[in-house]
Amino acid sequence: MKIDSIHTLEKLKEKSFKKVYLRNPNEAIYDDQKDILVCGGTGCIASDSNQLIKNLNLILKARGYDHKVNIIKTGCFGFCEQGPIVKIQPDNIFYVKVVPKDAKDIIDQHIIGGHQVERLLYKNPTNEERIHKHKDIPFYKKQLRIALRNCGRVNPEDIYEYVAFSGYEALGKALAKSPEEVIDLIKKSGLRGRGGGGFPTGLKWQLTRESEGDIKYIICNADEGDPGAFMDRSILEGDPHSIIEAMIIGGYAIGANHGIIYIRAEYPLAVERLNISIKQARELGLLGENIFNSNFNFEINIKYGAGAFVCGEETALINSVEGRRGEPSNKPPYPAQEGYWSRPTCVNNVETFANIPPIILNGPDWFSSIGTKESKGTKVFALAGKINNIGLVEVPMGTTLREIIYDVGGGIHKGHKFKAVQTGGPSGGVITEKDLDTPIDYEHLAEIGSMMGSGGMIVMDETNCMVNISKFYMEFIMDESCGRCTPCRVGTKRMHEYLQKITNGEATMENLDNLEQLAYMIKDGSLCGLGQTAPNPILSTLKYFSDEYISHIKDKVCPTKECKELSTPKNREVQI
Amino acid sequence: MPNVQIEPPHSDLPREKFEQLSSYIDSLDTARGALIEILHKAQDLFGYLPRDVQLFVARKIGIPAAEVFGVVTFYSYFTTSPKGKHTISVCMGTACFVKGSDEIFQAFKEKLNINSQETTKDGLFTLNNVRCIGACGLAPVVMVDEKVYGKVTLEDVEHIINTYRKEDSI
């Protein structure tokens, strides 16, 4: 069957709805059918959720309930700390930390017996009470899931489930408009690049459309390199069709017939699901020639990265897609003018794409009503480190850091004290207690010395040494510096050496001055974003925690005792 | 791409793998821009990318060997030395780092008596530090081949090593 019009898509949606009606909150359900949703994200698979699914299936069959209950392997629910996650629909019951041997209780007690399995319910850490319903869990209360809308809701390997939740409707709508109208709509929505730059997406599309050339390309940047951020991976694993749909829309808007997904080879599950989705979309005529009978043709290819942080930078990415070393080039010309094989190219990030279909479906006004004046919509953060609720969260722009850390994140791990939070990964900076009430958007984060970045959010407590943390980031950047320009290639190495000296207790105050000067020099002198932002972790920790640096240098003491060389007996004697 | 016949080098590397690589390259529409894909395939086949394999690829697709070497050494996914039977990857993403993965890594180094990217003398283990495998909820994380160990403590290190040693001695 081919989908050749909105009409056939609607028919298919109606037909597919049977598959998912148990998961629709607006439906009144009177029969005894159930859906068991099991998280199949990387984190939960690591905790044996595949075996759990096998066990559930076996026991269902043995009890003769397999015709009444469907087991669906979904994408990431986001609540990774509590994984593996199991959700029973339409009951809206949310089980956490489910191990394979719990399958028996879930089937016998809940499905057959009709009683919830108390011990598997989420326990509220503040009052030790068990919470039954998914929607009542504090972790989810302040969240607004747009980009992650289908993660944990659909089977990512089934295009019909995606269609049942209005999938590819946005594509049908977009193809009925002119490309200029589509661009206008995205511009009006205020959507900005979620990869970290924050460049207005609609404008990027317009610039690529206006560039001269009969062949153009649209590239999805899925080379998620920020250590500690995994939202792109979760979207690709949990809702791959949304990316494919958005790329076709983007291709239509800028005038490209060819899309490329550039993805890390380290993400095998995401690659597998993308391949499945592309094949399914092709079979239904959503990729290929004359899509929706509109005379528009579009194809998508996957290209693999091979592990290089700098390839997140768009000119470096394009070099890598062309099979070369992923070194950045000088801008201009911008990729919108001369990109992949010197043709006009538009590079957008995974999360940016995930926002496109809802914007087309619900309209730009809906999207721009969410968020702050300059930053519209939501942002996904990967919350990790010393925090209770580790996982993926999506909140409206303008939510404060305090709300994310304490309300959504459930506060600091094991009752420790909050010390700092790092946003923007190795290119960002630390934020301390005094700025926790800052509403999060691109501008405010820059104002307080950090940045949005791709959305990594690492929380640190009083046991983390800030000098050690900035040494960690510098080691990362030093490894990942591509070597093209001198300030970054040599400078990051020198900065790392200074930090090594400080944490070894061998540095002088003069070294510290030099380190700071060097940091500014590298900021000003580097070719691409990687080098220009490389000194940020040092500069921001120096700003807020200079006493820790001084204590390492003058007293030869690491206040948190994290730096081993400064807590050996030899050094303690010196101190006495 | 046009069928260019290149004789595999005389080396200890299995000849049939060169033939497989050769027919993979022949099956591509064009080798233009496909170097990284070809190297992925080559590493799948051989397990690593030794000099002879790099030279073979360069001659086969008609580019300087220096360009191939430049790409191989640029990306952390490619390796030029053979790997042990099991690869132990300690996650050094930020989430794992703030939960003490550097100490875990240190413990593996000491117990196995090797450095990062090295292989034990008996060829059993290769030790790697990797950047974020996306299982931050389980930090600190260690991956042995495809198996993920979450919330690893210093005490677990010896246990993990012994599991694979025992398995191997049976």
Side-chain angles (χ1 to χ4, degrees):
Chain A
M1 182 196 161
K2 296 262 178 197
I3 293 172
D4 51 9
S5 65
I6 296 252
H7 183 67
T8 47
L9 181 72
E10 266 168 11
K11 275 201 159 156
L12 187 68
K13 182 181 175 184
E14 245 167 65
K15 230 172 97 190
S16 309
F17 192 68
K18 270 195 271 156
K19 283 186 151 202
V20 302
Y21 77 106
L22 295 170
R23 284 170 257 167
N24 196 317
N26 306 323
E27 285 291 297
I29 313 286
Y30 299 108
D31 56 23
D32 55 354
Q33 298 276 328
K34 298 236 188 285
D35 277 355
I36 303 180
L37 306 168
V38 184
C39 179
T42 297
C44 286
I45 287 180
S47 320
D48 253 357
S49 70
N50 275 335
Q51 185 60 43
L52 172 65
I53 292 174
K54 265 188 210 151
N55 288 3
L56 285 168
N57 271 317
L58 276 175
I59 298 169
L60 270 185
K61 238 196 178 131
R63 304 284 190 269
Y65 269 68
D66 46 337
H67 60 287
K68 284 189 178 166
V69 180
N70 297 309
I71 294 171
I72 298 114
K73 185 167 153 186
T74 69
C76 181
F77 279 84
F79 207 178
C80 306
E81 171 76 29
Q82 299 287 329
I85 307 278
V86 171
K87 186 176 170 184
I88 316 273
Q89 287 285 53
D91 309 0
N92 203 284
I93 300 302
F94 197 80
Y95 290 132
V96 298
K97 295 192 176 166
V98 186
V99 294
K101 68 173 176 11
D102 294 328
K104 196 170 164 290
D105 283 356
I106 291 181
I107 304 288
D108 287 343
Q109 281 187 37
H110 188 139
I111 303 292
I112 301 175
H115 304 290
Q116 289 162 24
V117 189
E118 273 303 302
R119 66 182 176 85
L120 293 177
L121 291 167
Y122 174 68
K123 202 196 259 175
N124 191 344
T126 49
N127 57 10
E128 299 281 300
E129 262 177 36
R130 300 277 181 186
I131 299 176
H132 298 248
K133 303 261 179 185
H134 183 180
K135 60 180 171 52
D136 296 332
I137 295 175
F139 177 74
Y140 289 104
K141 270 194 171 163
K142 286 204 169 168
Q143 290 199 47
L144 175 64
R145 290 161 81 93
I146 297 175
L148 300 176
R149 63 196 177 280
N150 283 329
C151 293
R153 187 163 77 162
V154 301
N155 173 359
E157 296 181 9
D158 186 346
I159 190 169
Y160 298 105
E161 290 205 2
Y162 181 68
V163 169
F165 284 111
S166 305
Y168 291 103
E169 243 175 80
L171 174 63
K173 262 185 148 177
L175 291 180
K177 296 179 195 298
S178 74
E180 287 79 10
E181 281 170 334
V182 175
I183 290 175
D184 214 41
L185 218 142
I186 301 299
K187 274 169 84 177
K188 264 195 202 140
S189 75
L191 176 66
R192 294 169 66 177
R194 297 291 192 248
F199 192 81
T201 307
L203 184 59
K204 204 175 201 176
W205 285 12
Q206 187 187 351
L207 291 172
T208 320
R209 171 146 202 99
E210 285 168 356
S211 281
E212 264 178 55
D214 45 352
I215 297 177
K216 293 177 186 177
Y217 294 99
I218 187 157
I219 297 183
C220 172
N221 178 357
D223 187 58
E224 192 169 42
D226 175 3
F230 52 101
M231 59 283 295
D232 293 350
R233 160 188 218 149
S234 291
I235 294 171
L236 292 166
E237 286 176 2
D239 193 15
H241 279 290
S242 70
I243 303 304
I244 291 169
E245 182 180 5
M247 283 184 75
I248 309 172
I249 296 170
Y252 174 70
I254 67 168
N257 299 108
H258 201 114
I260 296 162
I261 302 176
Y262 178 77
I263 184 166
R264 292 178 68 177
E266 290 94 329
Y267 282 2
L269 186 61
V271 171
E272 187 191 321
R273 294 206 171 136
L274 276 173
N275 275 318
I276 294 172
S277 307
I278 290 173
K279 190 167 160 265
Q280 291 172 341
R282 233 174 246 154
E283 280 165 5
L284 291 184
L286 296 163
L287 279 173
E289 286 181 3
N290 198 11
I291 300 166
F292 273 96
N293 243 338
S294 66
N295 283 327
F296 175 64
N297 310 331
F298 197 73
E299 261 310 328
I300 293 181
N301 276 25
I302 297 182
K303 284 265 191 178
Y304 302 106
F309 181 62
V310 70
C311 288
E313 204 279 339
E314 51 186 10
T315 59
L317 182 148
I318 288 168
N319 278 326
S320 180
V321 178
E322 291 176 2
R324 286 196 294 270
R325 288 165 68 92
E327 291 173 359
S329 332
N330 279 325
K331 291 196 256 190
Y334 290 91
Q337 304 157 301
E338 261 180 54
Y340 184 52
W341 299 126
S342 300
R343 309 281 190 175
T345 304
C346 179
V347 183
N348 289 128
N349 159 274
V350 172
E351 195 189 328
T352 315
F353 276 128
N355 279 296
I356 300 285
I359 292 176
I360 307 255
L361 279 182
N362 304 326
D365 298 335
W366 160 78
F367 191 78
S368 62
S369 71
I370 306 161
T372 62
K373 191 164 162 269
E374 302 290 338
S375 309
K376 302 298 184 190
T378 57
K379 177 77 191 88
V380 183
F381 290 101
L383 209 50
K386 301 290 182 65
I387 190 156
N388 279 320
N389 302 338
I390 292 174
L392 270 194
V393 306
E394 182 171 357
V395 291
M397 295 274 191
T399 308
T400 65
L401 279 161
R402 194 181 297 280
E403 284 173 289
I404 295 182
I405 293 169
Y406 289 94
D407 299 344
V408 179
I412 309 302
H413 196 56
K414 287 186 181 153
H416 280 281
K417 217 174 145 274
F418 171 84
K419 185 170 186 179
V421 54
Q422 171 101 9
T423 64
S427 313
V430 291
I431 297 165
T432 56
E433 177 79 36
K434 78 173 178 51
D435 289 319
L436 277 189
D437 292 310
T438 311
I440 295 185
D441 61 16
Y442 293 96
E443 279 69 31
H444 280 104
L445 281 177
E447 250 168 53
I448 56 176
S450 186
M451 62 187 276
M452 183 76 85
S454 54
M457 197 176 266
I458 309 284
V459 178
M460 288 165 271
D461 65 11
E462 80 280 4
T463 63
N464 291 116
C465 168
M466 302 318 274
V467 186
N468 199 27
I469 289 286
S470 61
K471 188 176 86 179
F472 163 79
Y473 280 122
M474 199 43 63
E475 191 179 334
F476 176 81
I477 290 292
M478 181 180 76
D479 280 352
E480 294 296 338
S481 172
C482 76
R484 175 104 198 267
C485 71
T486 318
C488 177
R489 181 183 66 240
V490 183
T492 53
K493 173 116 181 105
R494 291 290 98 86
M495 290 200 288
H496 183 256
E497 283 166 2
Y498 277 131
L499 291 169
Q500 192 87 45
K501 266 177 116 175
I502 297 174
T503 54
N504 282 346
E506 296 157 356
T508 61
M509 286 305 283
E510 197 193 342
N511 290 151
L512 189 63
D513 287 341
N514 290 344
L515 174 65
E516 199 174 352
Q517 267 186 30
L518 189 60
Y520 283 110
M521 230 183 276
I522 291 163
K523 221 176 154 70
D524 293 335
S526 296
L527 174 66
C528 82
L530 185 135
Q532 287 157 13
T533 57
N536 283 357
I538 294 182
L539 290 172
S540 77
T541 48
L542 260 179
K543 183 171 167 197
Y544 296 112
F545 300 97
S546 61
D547 51 328
E548 275 189 38
Y549 280 86
I550 292 168
S551 152
H552 280 76
I553 296 169
K554 282 193 171 161
D555 309 333
K556 312 286 176 211
V557 169
C558 171
T560 63
K561 301 194 179 65
E562 246 195 356
C563 302
K564 293 278 160 330
E565 284 73 11
L566 294 183
S567 43
T568 57
K570 189 185 80 196
N571 282 309
R572 277 201 203 110
E573 273 166 38
V574 174
Q575 195 197 332
I576 294 160
Chain B
M1 70 164 267
N3 219 322
V4 184
Q5 286 307 318
I6 301 289
E7 188 59 20
H10 295 286
S11 70
D12 299 337
L13 299 161
R15 200 186 155 87
E16 70 270 16
K17 292 200 169 158
F18 280 105
E19 278 156 13
Q20 281 173 22
L21 180 61
S22 187
S23 52
Y24 170 77
I25 297 172
D26 290 336
S27 74
L28 298 171
D29 295 336
T30 167
R32 184 177 176 243
L35 179 57
I36 292 178
E37 274 123 294
I38 294 169
L39 293 174
H40 271 296
K41 180 73 184 178
Q43 187 160 301
D44 277 352
L45 285 168
F46 292 92
Y48 67 118
L49 298 170
R51 187 174 178 272
D52 283 340
V53 173
Q54 293 180 39
L55 275 173
F56 179 78
V57 169
R59 291 187 182 139
K60 177 87 186 162
I61 63 177
I63 60 171
E67 202 177 317
V68 176
F69 181 74
V71 169
V72 168
T73 51
F74 185 84
Y75 295 99
S76 60
Y77 194 80
F78 297 132
T79 165
T80 53
S81 50
K83 285 211 169 118
K85 191 170 171 200
H86 303 288
T87 302
I88 301 177
S89 309
V90 182
C91 181
M92 286 297 235
T94 323
C96 286
F97 179 79
V98 300
K99 291 215 164 165
S101 67
D102 53 335
E103 283 177 24
I104 305 281
F105 189 55
Q106 195 59 36
F108 271 108
K109 281 207 279 198
E110 279 163 17
K111 290 258 154 51
L112 296 172
N113 202 15
I114 49 174
N115 267 316
S116 178
Q117 316 291 339
E118 287 180 0
T119 303
T120 50
K121 280 206 187 96
D122 57 6
L124 200 52
F125 296 110
T126 300
L127 184 62
N128 268 336
N129 58 348
V130 295
R131 305 287 184 201
C132 200
I133 55 173
C136 306
L138 304 172
V141 177
V142 172
M143 209 160 86
V144 183
D145 305 328
E146 301 285 299
K147 166 112 180 108
V148 176
Y149 293 87
K151 302 193 176 165
V152 177
T153 61
L154 285 172
E155 289 75 50
D156 294 339
V157 171
E158 183 129 33
H159 175 74
I160 292 173
I161 295 173
N162 286 340
T163 313
Y164 290 87
R165 279 209 177 121
K166 254 186 221 149
E167 193 182 273
D168 199 62
S169 63
I170 296 167

